[in-house]
Structure formats: C-alpha cells, structure tokens
Amino acid sequence: MKAFLGTGLLGSNFVKAMRKRGEEVQVWNRTAAKAKALEEVGAKAFDNPADAVKGAFLVHLTLKDDASVNEVLEAARDGLAPGAVIIDHTTTSKDGAIQRTKEWKEKGFFYQHAPVFMGPVNALESSGFMLLSGDEALIGRIEPELQKMTGKILRFGSEVGKAAAMKLVGNAFLVCFTAGIRETLCLSKALGLSVTDLSSLFDAWNPGTLLQPRLKRMTAGDYTNPSWELAMARKDTGLFIDAAQKVETELTLLPVIASLMDSWIEKGYGNNDWTVIAKDCV
C-alpha cells in the first residue's frame, strides 16, 4: 500500500501511473475534489492526511513549499505506520530538506527528499528525472520503487540536502533560460523579425551545444585570452537596448546585464573575455 499526499497536476498523474501498474494507492489533497476524482482510476480518497497514510509503508508528497510539507506531515503523523518512509517530491529549500530528514528520523520515520525534473506528462509516462541524495542504504532500499516512477534517477551521494540544492540550481537555470527567450522575442519584435525568422535561426544554429563549453570557460579562472572581449560584448548589448528603445519595447534582463558589464569594465576587465562577469561566482 502506498499513500500520496498532494494530487495536483503532477501528483495526480503519479497516482494514475501507479494505478496503471496495479499498485494500491490512498490519496489526499487540500482541495478534496482533486483527490476524489482519482477514485475513477481505483485510488481511495480520504478527507484528511492521517487517514490517507494509514497502512502505507511509502508515503509520497507533491506539495507547494517547505511550509505546506511541514503542515501536511504534522497532520499525517498520527496515521503513519512505524518506520514508514516519507518520499517528498516537492521543490523545497536545502535547509528544509536537511531539517526534515533529521526531525522525522528522531520521530521514528524516514524522510527522503526526491525532487524531480518532471512535468505532468512525465509523471504519467514515468519519464524525466528524479534527484536523490542522503542515506544511501535507505535510497538503495526504495530505489526500485522510485525507478518505476521516472525515466532516470540521478544520485548525488550521501550529503543530505544536496538533491534539493541541485533541483534549485536547475530550476534557476530554467527560469533564466525562459526569461532570456522572452528577452530575445522582445528584441526580435523590435527589429522587425518574426517568430518564424527566429525559429529558422535556431534550426540552423543551436546555442544549446555551447552550454558545457561555456560553463568550462566561465569557471576556468583565466579570462585573459578572450574570444569575445567584455568591452565588445558591452557594445553589442548597447545596440540591443537602443534597438528596443527606438520602438518603445521594454527589455528586462539586458539593461541589468549591461550594468553588470559596466561594473566589470570599471574594475579594469574590459579587454578580458566577457565571461569574466562570472568571476565572483566561482
């Protein structure tokens, strides 16, 4: 028997996939109708977390944040079976994951943070990525069950909270990546280019292949052999901003990046590779 607390878009599809595999699942959600709807696929819905977890050895969570995880787990505590394993797929803080691991062990249970790079479709299809770190004996014990839920498990060693940190930096990249695409779309519009024009550029030139080489260059520590001087990159950034201003298109990221470049130029790095802007983060 498994329990699933939090049956929004991601959680509900995890449950549907479990039911397809013939697993018994008890569910709860703050909005009761979302849990009740899963009875159509054979899950059993409960009105409170404590009843939902009774008899379950594995208790899965997909909730909003640290506060909601703490609140729901406390509400479920009286129903937890001795030695039950709590598997939390919520994106939370690193400190929160560390604290819950310690606290729930002291209470006689196991807490394993297992954040995911998975959308609802991934949850239904058991694809995507699940991140794990911490007690390697515990992970080894539950990994066969977790493997059924995802396409690939990424293990980051025995450091508690490291999976939470890796999830956060991954999400930060996705946020910046999406905001960068938004900025590119705004500039394209300002320059009279269509989405089709932009798409055709990226069909021919895939900047995604630059990620690992750029990361290595930015973290190597030597910026004195430039492929693109900071001063020249700043000049081009000025052209981006000027083009947008001429048609009153608001840019969000590029003015901030220009200011960051200016600060490094003022420090005397104008002739260095422009990736020197990452020097203080390495």
Side-chain angles (χ1 to χ4, degrees):
M1 175 70 70
K2 296 180 179 180
F4 218 106
L5 308 180
T7 57
L9 293 174
L10 188 67
S12 62
N13 275 2
F14 270 134
V15 171
K16 289 174 184 176
M18 288 176 175
R19 289 299 303 139
K20 284 182 180 179
R21 295 191 293 270
E23 299 172 4
E24 291 186 66
V25 192
Q26 300 178 164
V27 298
W28 170 89
N29 193 73
R30 194 180 302 274
T31 302
K34 292 183 178 180
K36 192 72 174 175
L38 290 168
E39 292 192 332
E40 294 180 3
V41 297
K44 188 173 182 180
F46 290 85
D47 293 331
N48 64 74
D51 287 338
V53 302
K54 286 180 179 177
F57 176 67
L58 297 180
V59 177
H60 295 265
L61 307 174
T62 53
L63 299 169
K64 180 183 178 181
D65 52 21
D66 287 285
S68 62
V69 171
N70 291 337
E71 178 186 349
V72 171
L73 282 179
E74 194 56 40
R77 180 178 178 179
D78 289 345
L80 289 170
V85 180
I86 300 160
I87 304 172
D88 184 9
H89 306 292
T90 309
T91 299
T92 69
S93 68
K94 178 180 178 180
D95 289 345
I98 293 171
Q99 186 64 23
R100 280 185 290 278
T101 302
K102 177 176 181 293
E103 287 182 357
W104 285 93
K105 185 175 182 179
E106 291 172 351
K107 294 172 182 177
F109 307 100
F110 298 95
Y111 173 90
Q112 177 61 53
H113 195 219
V116 298
F117 289 118
M118 298 171 67
V121 173
N122 298 118
L124 189 60
E125 297 177 346
S126 301
S127 58
F129 299 86
M130 187 176 293
L131 286 58
L132 298 172
S133 71
D135 184 337
E136 295 187 338
L138 173 62
I139 291 173
R141 185 153 55 97
I142 63 176
E143 188 170 13
E145 291 299 318
L146 299 181
Q147 187 63 69
K148 297 175 186 178
M149 300 173 65
T150 189
K152 187 174 180 62
I153 288 178
L154 304 179
R155 293 182 63 165
F156 296 104
S158 60
E159 180 184 339
V160 175
K162 190 168 185 178
M166 296 294 280
K167 168 62 173 175
L168 290 176
V169 298
N171 273 13
F173 179 85
L174 292 177
V175 168
C176 293
F177 180 61
T178 302
I181 294 174
R182 185 260 182 196
E183 201 86 339
T184 303
L185 287 167
C186 288
L187 181 58
S188 295
K189 183 178 179 181
L191 291 168
L193 300 175
S194 69
V195 174
T196 301
D197 291 328
L198 187 60
S199 183
S200 68
L201 171 63
F202 292 136
D203 280 341
W205 171 62
N206 179 11
T209 61
L210 302 176
L211 177 57
Q212 285 289 6
R214 183 61 50 87
L215 180 62
K216 290 178 181 178
R217 188 175 186 88
M218 294 177 75
T219 57
D222 182 6
Y223 308 96
T224 58
N225 184 26
S227 62
W228 194 17
E229 290 184 350
L230 176 58
M232 294 301 292
R234 176 62 179 89
K235 181 267 295 181
D236 284 6
T237 303
L239 292 175
F240 312 150
I241 295 170
D242 290 345
Q245 287 177 340
K246 285 179 181 178
V247 293
E248 298 183 349
T249 295
E250 181 182 358
L251 297 178
T252 304
L253 298 180
L254 286 166
V256 176
I257 294 169
S259 178
L260 176 63
M261 289 176 168
D262 287 341
S263 70
W264 283 96
I265 289 171
E266 290 172 5
K267 295 175 185 177
Y269 291 94
N271 293 327
N272 279 234
D273 191 87
W274 81 287
T275 58
V276 72
I277 61 173
K279 189 175 188 293
D280 57 346
C281 296
V282 178

mmCIF file of all heavy atoms in Angstrom, residues 14-61:
data_model
loop_
_atom_site.group_PDB
_atom_site.id
_atom_site.type_symbol
_atom_site.label_atom_id
_atom_site.label_comp_id
_atom_site.label_asym_id
_atom_site.label_seq_id
_atom_site.Cartn_x
_atom_site.Cartn_y
_atom_site.Cartn_z
ATOM 1 N N PHE A 14 1.131 11.038 -11.157
ATOM 2 C CA PHE A 14 1.914 9.991 -10.484
ATOM 3 C C PHE A 14 0.966 8.880 -10.012
ATOM 4 O O PHE A 14 1.256 7.688 -10.159
ATOM 5 C CB PHE A 14 2.662 10.565 -9.281
ATOM 6 C CG PHE A 14 4.037 11.086 -9.586
ATOM 7 C CD1 PHE A 14 4.445 12.319 -9.086
ATOM 8 C CD2 PHE A 14 4.940 10.368 -10.336
ATOM 9 C CE1 PHE A 14 5.719 12.813 -9.345
ATOM 10 C CE2 PHE A 14 6.216 10.839 -10.603
ATOM 11 C CZ PHE A 14 6.603 12.069 -10.099
ATOM 12 N N VAL A 15 -0.145 9.281 -9.433
ATOM 13 C CA VAL A 15 -1.109 8.300 -8.921
ATOM 14 C C VAL A 15 -1.701 7.478 -10.059
ATOM 15 O O VAL A 15 -1.830 6.249 -9.963
ATOM 16 C CB VAL A 15 -2.221 9.004 -8.122
ATOM 17 C CG1 VAL A 15 -3.339 8.018 -7.765
ATOM 18 C CG2 VAL A 15 -1.660 9.631 -6.851
ATOM 19 N N LYS A 16 -2.059 8.129 -11.149
ATOM 20 C CA LYS A 16 -2.614 7.402 -12.296
ATOM 21 C C LYS A 16 -1.625 6.373 -12.820
ATOM 22 O O LYS A 16 -2.012 5.251 -13.187
ATOM 23 C CB LYS A 16 -3.001 8.380 -13.396
ATOM 24 C CG LYS A 16 -4.217 9.235 -13.060
ATOM 25 C CD LYS A 16 -4.467 10.287 -14.129
ATOM 26 C CE LYS A 16 -5.621 11.210 -13.739
ATOM 27 N NZ LYS A 16 -5.812 12.296 -14.734
ATOM 28 N N ALA A 17 -0.341 6.742 -12.867
ATOM 29 C CA ALA A 17 0.680 5.800 -13.321
ATOM 30 C C ALA A 17 0.808 4.622 -12.360
ATOM 31 O O ALA A 17 0.988 3.471 -12.777
ATOM 32 C CB ALA A 17 2.017 6.516 -13.488
ATOM 33 N N MET A 18 0.737 4.912 -11.073
ATOM 34 C CA MET A 18 0.785 3.836 -10.074
ATOM 35 C C MET A 18 -0.377 2.872 -10.264
ATOM 36 O O MET A 18 -0.211 1.648 -10.191
ATOM 37 C CB MET A 18 0.757 4.432 -8.668
ATOM 38 C CG MET A 18 2.032 5.136 -8.257
ATOM 39 S SD MET A 18 1.865 5.903 -6.604
ATOM 40 C CE MET A 18 3.537 6.509 -6.352
ATOM 41 N N ARG A 19 -1.552 3.417 -10.491
ATOM 42 C CA ARG A 19 -2.725 2.566 -10.681
ATOM 43 C C ARG A 19 -2.583 1.722 -11.953
ATOM 44 O O ARG A 19 -3.001 0.561 -11.979
ATOM 45 C CB ARG A 19 -3.992 3.426 -10.740
ATOM 46 C CG ARG A 19 -4.395 4.033 -9.413
ATOM 47 C CD ARG A 19 -4.696 2.960 -8.376
ATOM 48 N NE ARG A 19 -5.753 2.075 -8.886
ATOM 49 C CZ ARG A 19 -5.764 0.745 -8.748
ATOM 50 N NH1 ARG A 19 -4.772 0.129 -8.120
ATOM 51 N NH2 ARG A 19 -6.768 0.035 -9.242
ATOM 52 N N LYS A 20 -1.987 2.286 -13.004
ATOM 53 C CA LYS A 20 -1.763 1.514 -14.226
ATOM 54 C C LYS A 20 -0.862 0.319 -13.957
ATOM 55 O O LYS A 20 -0.962 -0.711 -14.623
ATOM 56 C CB LYS A 20 -1.144 2.393 -15.304
ATOM 57 C CG LYS A 20 -2.114 3.352 -15.979
ATOM 58 C CD LYS A 20 -1.407 4.139 -17.068
ATOM 59 C CE LYS A 20 -2.344 5.099 -17.770
ATOM 60 N NZ LYS A 20 -1.643 5.892 -18.828
ATOM 61 N N ARG A 21 0.043 0.485 -12.974
ATOM 62 C CA ARG A 21 0.936 -0.618 -12.615
ATOM 63 C C ARG A 21 0.280 -1.577 -11.620
ATOM 64 O O ARG A 21 0.916 -2.527 -11.153
ATOM 65 C CB ARG A 21 2.241 -0.069 -12.024
ATOM 66 C CG ARG A 21 3.082 0.730 -12.990
ATOM 67 C CD ARG A 21 4.468 1.011 -12.436
ATOM 68 N NE ARG A 21 4.455 1.905 -11.286
ATOM 69 C CZ ARG A 21 4.548 3.236 -11.356
ATOM 70 N NH1 ARG A 21 4.651 3.823 -12.542
ATOM 71 N NH2 ARG A 21 4.553 3.974 -10.268
ATOM 72 N N GLY A 22 -0.969 -1.300 -11.275
ATOM 73 C CA GLY A 22 -1.696 -2.177 -10.369
ATOM 74 C C GLY A 22 -1.414 -1.943 -8.899
ATOM 75 O O GLY A 22 -1.753 -2.798 -8.057
ATOM 76 N N GLU A 23 -0.826 -0.810 -8.554
ATOM 77 C CA GLU A 23 -0.489 -0.522 -7.161
ATOM 78 C C GLU A 23 -1.692 0.071 -6.419
ATOM 79 O O GLU A 23 -2.456 0.861 -6.985
ATOM 80 C CB GLU A 23 0.693 0.453 -7.107
ATOM 81 C CG GLU A 23 1.950 -0.110 -7.757
ATOM 82 C CD GLU A 23 3.057 0.922 -7.885
ATOM 83 O OE1 GLU A 23 2.881 2.049 -7.405
ATOM 84 O OE2 GLU A 23 4.099 0.606 -8.502
ATOM 85 N N GLU A 24 -1.847 -0.316 -5.167
ATOM 86 C CA GLU A 24 -2.896 0.259 -4.324
ATOM 87 C C GLU A 24 -2.417 1.604 -3.796
ATOM 88 O O GLU A 24 -1.314 1.708 -3.252
ATOM 89 C CB GLU A 24 -3.210 -0.671 -3.154
ATOM 90 C CG GLU A 24 -3.886 -1.970 -3.555
ATOM 91 C CD GLU A 24 -4.294 -2.768 -2.332
ATOM 92 O OE1 GLU A 24 -5.172 -2.310 -1.573
ATOM 93 O OE2 GLU A 24 -3.702 -3.843 -2.118
ATOM 94 N N VAL A 25 -3.242 2.633 -3.960
ATOM 95 C CA VAL A 25 -2.840 3.979 -3.561
ATOM 96 C C VAL A 25 -3.977 4.672 -2.812
ATOM 97 O O VAL A 25 -5.130 4.678 -3.278
ATOM 98 C CB VAL A 25 -2.458 4.853 -4.780
ATOM 99 C CG1 VAL A 25 -1.763 6.128 -4.303
ATOM 100 C CG2 VAL A 25 -1.578 4.102 -5.751
ATOM 101 N N GLN A 26 -3.633 5.238 -1.668
ATOM 102 C CA GLN A 26 -4.563 6.063 -0.892
ATOM 103 C C GLN A 26 -4.139 7.515 -1.052
ATOM 104 O O GLN A 26 -2.942 7.826 -0.974
ATOM 105 C CB GLN A 26 -4.547 5.642 0.579
ATOM 106 C CG GLN A 26 -4.960 4.189 0.753
ATOM 107 C CD GLN A 26 -4.921 3.715 2.188
ATOM 108 O OE1 GLN A 26 -5.501 2.693 2.508
ATOM 109 N NE2 GLN A 26 -4.241 4.437 3.074
ATOM 110 N N VAL A 27 -5.107 8.419 -1.293
ATOM 111 C CA VAL A 27 -4.757 9.785 -1.661
ATOM 112 C C VAL A 27 -5.478 10.810 -0.807
ATOM 113 O O VAL A 27 -6.572 10.570 -0.265
ATOM 114 C CB VAL A 27 -5.072 10.055 -3.155
ATOM 115 C CG1 VAL A 27 -4.246 9.142 -4.046
ATOM 116 C CG2 VAL A 27 -6.556 9.884 -3.452
ATOM 117 N N TRP A 28 -4.839 11.962 -0.716
ATOM 118 C CA TRP A 28 -5.426 13.132 -0.047
ATOM 119 C C TRP A 28 -4.960 14.383 -0.770
ATOM 120 O O TRP A 28 -3.827 14.438 -1.270
ATOM 121 C CB TRP A 28 -4.987 13.217 1.413
ATOM 122 C CG TRP A 28 -5.375 14.530 2.053
ATOM 123 C CD1 TRP A 28 -6.538 14.821 2.687
ATOM 124 C CD2 TRP A 28 -4.589 15.729 2.089
ATOM 125 N NE1 TRP A 28 -6.549 16.128 3.110
ATOM 126 C CE2 TRP A 28 -5.350 16.712 2.753
ATOM 127 C CE3 TRP A 28 -3.322 16.063 1.624
ATOM 128 C CZ2 TRP A 28 -4.884 18.006 2.964
ATOM 129 C CZ3 TRP A 28 -2.860 17.350 1.824
ATOM 130 C CH2 TRP A 28 -3.635 18.304 2.492
ATOM 131 N N ASN A 29 -5.833 15.375 -0.822
ATOM 132 C CA ASN A 29 -5.468 16.682 -1.349
ATOM 133 C C ASN A 29 -6.239 17.748 -0.582
ATOM 134 O O ASN A 29 -7.365 17.526 -0.126
ATOM 135 C CB ASN A 29 -5.793 16.769 -2.847
ATOM 136 C CG ASN A 29 -5.146 17.985 -3.497
ATOM 137 O OD1 ASN A 29 -3.943 18.018 -3.706
ATOM 138 N ND2 ASN A 29 -5.939 18.998 -3.789
ATOM 139 N N ARG A 30 -5.613 18.908 -0.454
ATOM 140 C CA ARG A 30 -6.264 20.002 0.272
ATOM 141 C C ARG A 30 -7.611 20.351 -0.365
ATOM 142 O O ARG A 30 -8.585 20.619 0.316
ATOM 143 C CB ARG A 30 -5.343 21.230 0.301
ATOM 144 C CG ARG A 30 -5.764 22.289 1.303
ATOM 145 C CD ARG A 30 -4.807 23.466 1.258
ATOM 146 N NE ARG A 30 -3.437 23.065 1.538
ATOM 147 C CZ ARG A 30 -2.921 22.953 2.748
ATOM 148 N NH1 ARG A 30 -3.675 23.182 3.809
ATOM 149 N NH2 ARG A 30 -1.655 22.596 2.897
ATOM 150 N N THR A 31 -7.642 20.389 -1.704
ATOM 151 C CA THR A 31 -8.907 20.516 -2.422
ATOM 152 C C THR A 31 -9.424 19.099 -2.634
ATOM 153 O O THR A 31 -8.947 18.363 -3.500
ATOM 154 C CB THR A 31 -8.708 21.219 -3.780
ATOM 155 O OG1 THR A 31 -8.127 22.510 -3.557
ATOM 156 C CG2 THR A 31 -10.027 21.379 -4.509
ATOM 157 N N ALA A 32 -10.394 18.699 -1.821
ATOM 158 C CA ALA A 32 -10.808 17.296 -1.747
ATOM 159 C C ALA A 32 -11.267 16.736 -3.082
ATOM 160 O O ALA A 32 -11.060 15.546 -3.371
ATOM 161 C CB ALA A 32 -11.913 17.148 -0.706
ATOM 162 N N ALA A 33 -11.866 17.581 -3.921
ATOM 163 C CA ALA A 33 -12.399 17.091 -5.198
ATOM 164 C C ALA A 33 -11.298 16.520 -6.084
ATOM 165 O O ALA A 33 -11.533 15.592 -6.862
ATOM 166 C CB ALA A 33 -13.126 18.218 -5.923
ATOM 167 N N LYS A 34 -10.070 17.064 -5.981
ATOM 168 C CA LYS A 34 -8.972 16.568 -6.807
ATOM 169 C C LYS A 34 -8.564 15.154 -6.391
ATOM 170 O O LYS A 34 -8.192 14.339 -7.240
ATOM 171 C CB LYS A 34 -7.781 17.519 -6.720
ATOM 172 C CG LYS A 34 -8.025 18.874 -7.362
ATOM 173 C CD LYS A 34 -6.789 19.755 -7.303
ATOM 174 C CE LYS A 34 -7.033 21.095 -7.982
ATOM 175 N NZ LYS A 34 -5.836 21.969 -7.944
ATOM 176 N N ALA A 35 -8.622 14.873 -5.114
ATOM 177 C CA ALA A 35 -8.331 13.517 -4.653
ATOM 178 C C ALA A 35 -9.481 12.581 -4.994
ATOM 179 O O ALA A 35 -9.273 11.457 -5.453
ATOM 180 C CB ALA A 35 -8.073 13.524 -3.151
ATOM 181 N N LYS A 36 -10.693 13.058 -4.776
ATOM 182 C CA LYS A 36 -11.881 12.237 -5.046
ATOM 183 C C LYS A 36 -11.939 11.810 -6.510
ATOM 184 O O LYS A 36 -12.355 10.681 -6.832
ATOM 185 C CB LYS A 36 -13.128 13.043 -4.695
ATOM 186 C CG LYS A 36 -14.411 12.227 -4.658
ATOM 187 C CD LYS A 36 -14.452 11.317 -3.452
ATOM 188 C CE LYS A 36 -15.804 10.621 -3.355
ATOM 189 N NZ LYS A 36 -15.827 9.632 -2.229
ATOM 190 N N ALA A 37 -11.497 12.682 -7.424
ATOM 191 C CA ALA A 37 -11.535 12.363 -8.851
ATOM 192 C C ALA A 37 -10.681 11.153 -9.181
ATOM 193 O O ALA A 37 -10.946 10.447 -10.171
ATOM 194 C CB ALA A 37 -11.066 13.571 -9.661
ATOM 195 N N LEU A 38 -9.660 10.878 -8.371
ATOM 196 C CA LEU A 38 -8.764 9.752 -8.643
ATOM 197 C C LEU A 38 -9.388 8.408 -8.277
ATOM 198 O O LEU A 38 -8.823 7.356 -8.596
ATOM 199 C CB LEU A 38 -7.445 9.953 -7.900
ATOM 200 C CG LEU A 38 -6.585 11.085 -8.472
ATOM 201 C CD1 LEU A 38 -5.440 11.427 -7.536
ATOM 202 C CD2 LEU A 38 -6.037 10.708 -9.852
ATOM 203 N N GLU A 39 -10.547 8.435 -7.626
ATOM 204 C CA GLU A 39 -11.244 7.175 -7.360
ATOM 205 C C GLU A 39 -11.724 6.543 -8.660
ATOM 206 O O GLU A 39 -11.954 5.333 -8.727
ATOM 207 C CB GLU A 39 -12.399 7.406 -6.395
ATOM 208 C CG GLU A 39 -11.909 7.770 -4.991
ATOM 209 C CD GLU A 39 -12.997 7.720 -3.944
ATOM 210 O OE1 GLU A 39 -14.181 7.926 -4.316
ATOM 211 O OE2 GLU A 39 -12.667 7.487 -2.763
ATOM 212 N N GLU A 40 -11.844 7.359 -9.718
ATOM 213 C CA GLU A 40 -12.240 6.828 -11.028
ATOM 214 C C GLU A 40 -11.197 5.861 -11.584
ATOM 215 O O GLU A 40 -11.519 4.992 -12.396
ATOM 216 C CB GLU A 40 -12.458 7.972 -12.014
ATOM 217 C CG GLU A 40 -13.625 8.875 -11.680
ATOM 218 C CD GLU A 40 -13.799 9.986 -12.698
ATOM 219 O OE1 GLU A 40 -13.043 10.016 -13.697
ATOM 220 O OE2 GLU A 40 -14.698 10.825 -12.495
ATOM 221 N N VAL A 41 -9.930 6.022 -11.162
ATOM 222 C CA VAL A 41 -8.882 5.104 -11.631
ATOM 223 C C VAL A 41 -8.523 4.062 -10.574
ATOM 224 O O VAL A 41 -7.547 3.317 -10.723
ATOM 225 C CB VAL A 41 -7.610 5.881 -12.068
ATOM 226 C CG1 VAL A 41 -7.918 6.773 -13.239
ATOM 227 C CG2 VAL A 41 -7.007 6.667 -10.910
ATOM 228 N N GLY A 42 -9.292 4.037 -9.484
ATOM 229 C CA GLY A 42 -9.096 2.996 -8.489
ATOM 230 C C GLY A 42 -8.359 3.400 -7.232
ATOM 231 O O GLY A 42 -8.135 2.558 -6.346
ATOM 232 N N ALA A 43 -7.946 4.679 -7.124
ATOM 233 C CA ALA A 43 -7.334 5.150 -5.877
ATOM 234 C C ALA A 43 -8.433 5.334 -4.835
ATOM 235 O O ALA A 43 -9.617 5.454 -5.166
ATOM 236 C CB ALA A 43 -6.602 6.460 -6.115
ATOM 237 N N LYS A 44 -8.061 5.386 -3.576
ATOM 238 C CA LYS A 44 -9.027 5.598 -2.499
ATOM 239 C C LYS A 44 -8.736 6.938 -1.839
ATOM 240 O O LYS A 44 -7.635 7.166 -1.335
ATOM 241 C CB LYS A 44 -8.944 4.473 -1.474
ATOM 242 C CG LYS A 44 -10.051 4.542 -0.426
ATOM 243 C CD LYS A 44 -10.043 3.318 0.474
ATOM 244 C CE LYS A 44 -11.200 3.400 1.490
ATOM 245 N NZ LYS A 44 -11.228 2.209 2.383
ATOM 246 N N ALA A 45 -9.705 7.856 -1.881
ATOM 247 C CA ALA A 45 -9.518 9.211 -1.370
ATOM 248 C C ALA A 45 -9.961 9.318 0.084
ATOM 249 O O ALA A 45 -10.932 8.674 0.503
ATOM 250 C CB ALA A 45 -10.295 10.203 -2.229
ATOM 251 N N PHE A 46 -9.242 10.160 0.822
ATOM 252 C CA PHE A 46 -9.565 10.397 2.236
ATOM 253 C C PHE A 46 -9.670 11.894 2.490
ATOM 254 O O PHE A 46 -9.105 12.710 1.761
ATOM 255 C CB PHE A 46 -8.484 9.784 3.137
ATOM 256 C CG PHE A 46 -8.497 8.285 3.142
ATOM 257 C CD1 PHE A 46 -7.831 7.565 2.155
ATOM 258 C CD2 PHE A 46 -9.187 7.585 4.121
ATOM 259 C CE1 PHE A 46 -7.849 6.185 2.146
ATOM 260 C CE2 PHE A 46 -9.207 6.198 4.119
ATOM 261 C CZ PHE A 46 -8.538 5.493 3.130
ATOM 262 N N ASP A 47 -10.389 12.234 3.549
ATOM 263 C CA ASP A 47 -10.646 13.639 3.869
ATOM 264 C C ASP A 47 -9.524 14.286 4.661
ATOM 265 O O ASP A 47 -9.485 15.513 4.786
ATOM 266 C CB ASP A 47 -11.962 13.778 4.650
ATOM 267 C CG ASP A 47 -13.170 13.428 3.803
ATOM 268 O OD1 ASP A 47 -13.098 13.618 2.578
ATOM 269 O OD2 ASP A 47 -14.171 12.949 4.370
ATOM 270 N N ASN A 48 -8.632 13.465 5.243
ATOM 271 C CA ASN A 48 -7.520 14.053 6.000
ATOM 272 C C ASN A 48 -6.265 13.215 5.799
ATOM 273 O O ASN A 48 -6.343 12.013 5.508
ATOM 274 C CB ASN A 48 -7.873 14.198 7.487
ATOM 275 C CG ASN A 48 -8.100 12.857 8.151
ATOM 276 O OD1 ASN A 48 -7.146 12.125 8.413
ATOM 277 N ND2 ASN A 48 -9.361 12.516 8.414
ATOM 278 N N PRO A 49 -5.094 13.846 5.958
ATOM 279 C CA PRO A 49 -3.825 13.142 5.701
ATOM 280 C C PRO A 49 -3.593 11.938 6.601
ATOM 281 O O PRO A 49 -3.038 10.932 6.140
ATOM 282 C CB PRO A 49 -2.768 14.230 5.947
ATOM 283 C CG PRO A 49 -3.483 15.515 5.744
ATOM 284 C CD PRO A 49 -4.877 15.282 6.243
ATOM 285 N N ALA A 50 -4.005 12.020 7.860
ATOM 286 C CA ALA A 50 -3.744 10.919 8.793
ATOM 287 C C ALA A 50 -4.438 9.644 8.349
ATOM 288 O O ALA A 50 -3.865 8.542 8.443
ATOM 289 C CB ALA A 50 -4.185 11.307 10.202
ATOM 290 N N ASP A 51 -5.659 9.747 7.866
ATOM 291 C CA ASP A 51 -6.366 8.556 7.390
ATOM 292 C C ASP A 51 -5.760 8.055 6.078
ATOM 293 O O ASP A 51 -5.697 6.852 5.836
ATOM 294 C CB ASP A 51 -7.848 8.870 7.190
ATOM 295 C CG ASP A 51 -8.595 9.005 8.508
ATOM 296 O OD1 ASP A 51 -8.104 8.474 9.526
ATOM 297 O OD2 ASP A 51 -9.660 9.656 8.524
ATOM 298 N N ALA A 52 -5.312 8.980 5.237
ATOM 299 C CA ALA A 52 -4.766 8.601 3.923
ATOM 300 C C ALA A 52 -3.490 7.778 4.046
ATOM 301 O O ALA A 52 -3.200 6.947 3.178
ATOM 302 C CB ALA A 52 -4.520 9.844 3.081
ATOM 303 N N VAL A 53 -2.713 8.003 5.103
ATOM 304 C CA VAL A 53 -1.422 7.307 5.217
ATOM 305 C C VAL A 53 -1.497 6.020 6.014
ATOM 306 O O VAL A 53 -0.516 5.281 6.087
ATOM 307 C CB VAL A 53 -0.344 8.234 5.835
ATOM 308 C CG1 VAL A 53 -0.171 9.492 5.002
ATOM 309 C CG2 VAL A 53 -0.673 8.581 7.280
ATOM 310 N N LYS A 54 -2.646 5.711 6.608
ATOM 311 C CA LYS A 54 -2.753 4.504 7.426
ATOM 312 C C LYS A 54 -2.510 3.254 6.575
ATOM 313 O O LYS A 54 -3.089 3.085 5.507
ATOM 314 C CB LYS A 54 -4.130 4.428 8.080
ATOM 315 C CG LYS A 54 -4.289 5.410 9.232
ATOM 316 C CD LYS A 54 -5.669 5.307 9.876
ATOM 317 C CE LYS A 54 -5.786 6.284 11.042
ATOM 318 N NZ LYS A 54 -7.143 6.261 11.637
ATOM 319 N N GLY A 55 -1.606 2.412 7.054
ATOM 320 C CA GLY A 55 -1.308 1.166 6.367
ATOM 321 C C GLY A 55 -0.311 1.301 5.233
ATOM 322 O O GLY A 55 0.024 0.305 4.584
ATOM 323 N N ALA A 56 0.166 2.530 4.962
ATOM 324 C CA ALA A 56 1.097 2.750 3.850
ATOM 325 C C ALA A 56 2.529 2.735 4.351
ATOM 326 O O ALA A 56 2.864 3.441 5.310
ATOM 327 C CB ALA A 56 0.789 4.076 3.168
ATOM 328 N N PHE A 57 3.378 1.978 3.675
ATOM 329 C CA PHE A 57 4.797 1.970 4.025
ATOM 330 C C PHE A 57 5.528 3.099 3.317
ATOM 331 O O PHE A 57 6.455 3.693 3.851
ATOM 332 C CB PHE A 57 5.430 0.628 3.660
ATOM 333 C CG PHE A 57 6.912 0.590 3.907
ATOM 334 C CD1 PHE A 57 7.414 0.651 5.202
ATOM 335 C CD2 PHE A 57 7.812 0.502 2.857
ATOM 336 C CE1 PHE A 57 8.785 0.625 5.439
ATOM 337 C CE2 PHE A 57 9.174 0.476 3.085
ATOM 338 C CZ PHE A 57 9.666 0.534 4.381
ATOM 339 N N LEU A 58 5.100 3.417 2.082
ATOM 340 C CA LEU A 58 5.675 4.527 1.329
ATOM 341 C C LEU A 58 4.641 5.641 1.234
ATOM 342 O O LEU A 58 3.529 5.417 0.755
ATOM 343 C CB LEU A 58 6.091 4.085 -0.075
ATOM 344 C CG LEU A 58 7.194 3.027 -0.184
ATOM 345 C CD1 LEU A 58 7.473 2.713 -1.647
ATOM 346 C CD2 LEU A 58 8.472 3.504 0.500
ATOM 347 N N VAL A 59 5.024 6.835 1.679
ATOM 348 C CA VAL A 59 4.136 7.987 1.653
ATOM 349 C C VAL A 59 4.763 9.060 0.768
ATOM 350 O O VAL A 59 5.804 9.623 1.112
ATOM 351 C CB VAL A 59 3.892 8.545 3.070
ATOM 352 C CG1 VAL A 59 3.010 9.791 3.010
ATOM 353 C CG2 VAL A 59 3.265 7.477 3.957
ATOM 354 N N HIS A 60 4.171 9.331 -0.376
ATOM 355 C CA HIS A 60 4.696 10.309 -1.323
ATOM 356 C C HIS A 60 4.023 11.666 -1.118
ATOM 357 O O HIS A 60 2.830 11.738 -0.799
ATOM 358 C CB HIS A 60 4.451 9.850 -2.760
ATOM 359 C CG HIS A 60 5.192 8.606 -3.131
ATOM 360 N ND1 HIS A 60 6.415 8.631 -3.771
ATOM 361 C CD2 HIS A 60 4.872 7.290 -2.950
ATOM 362 C CE1 HIS A 60 6.816 7.381 -3.971
ATOM 363 N NE2 HIS A 60 5.904 6.564 -3.489
ATOM 364 N N LEU A 61 4.810 12.730 -1.348
ATOM 365 C CA LEU A 61 4.291 14.087 -1.254
ATOM 366 C C LEU A 61 4.632 14.873 -2.514
ATOM 367 O O LEU A 61 5.757 14.805 -3.002
ATOM 368 C CB LEU A 61 4.914 14.839 -0.070
ATOM 369 C CG LEU A 61 4.880 14.221 1.329
ATOM 370 C CD1 LEU A 61 5.688 15.080 2.279
ATOM 371 C CD2 LEU A 61 3.461 14.096 1.820
#
